[in-house]
Amino acid sequence: MNDNEKLPPMEVPQEALSPEALRGIIESFILREGTDYGREEAAFETKFNQIKKQLDKGDVKIVFDPNTETVGIVTKIEWQRLLR
């Protein structure tokens, strides 16, 4: 692999993470993304539970980018775009 060649992102199954690591990823996502939860601001734990449910249902995915060595949470549509 040369320096210009990018590696594809990898999905990380939440089951492969410790509960502490999973919580850290979700918390980081909430704090970094500033997600819009409507007219009224939701409590942090409410946001956490919403993201966890989306992960459980498969609506969002945990993704590792080997090029930037970062982990994020993306929607199924964003994931499919990343795979192209």
Side-chain angles (χ1 to χ4, degrees), residues 1-75:
M1 179 175 102
N2 65 42
D3 291 337
N4 295 331
E5 201 173 326
K6 290 198 172 205
L7 297 171
M10 296 180 283
E11 182 179 355
V12 179
Q14 64 174 319
E15 298 80 22
L17 301 168
S18 70
E20 296 82 12
L22 178 60
R23 182 163 190 89
I25 291 168
I26 295 172
E27 288 178 355
S28 176
F29 174 77
I30 293 168
L31 295 172
R32 185 176 52 238
E33 296 301 318
T35 306
D36 183 10
Y37 288 87
R39 287 174 33 145
E40 295 185 27
E41 187 62 27
F44 188 85
E45 201 60 31
T46 300
K47 294 176 188 178
F48 179 91
N49 290 332
Q50 289 172 341
I51 298 297
K52 179 69 171 87
K53 284 179 187 174
Q54 290 176 356
L55 280 166
D56 292 343
K57 288 175 32 180
D59 293 339
V60 297
K61 299 181 178 296
I62 299 171
V63 176
F64 174 71
D65 182 342
N67 303 298
T68 60
E69 296 184 354
T70 58
V71 175
I73 296 176
V74 299
T75 65

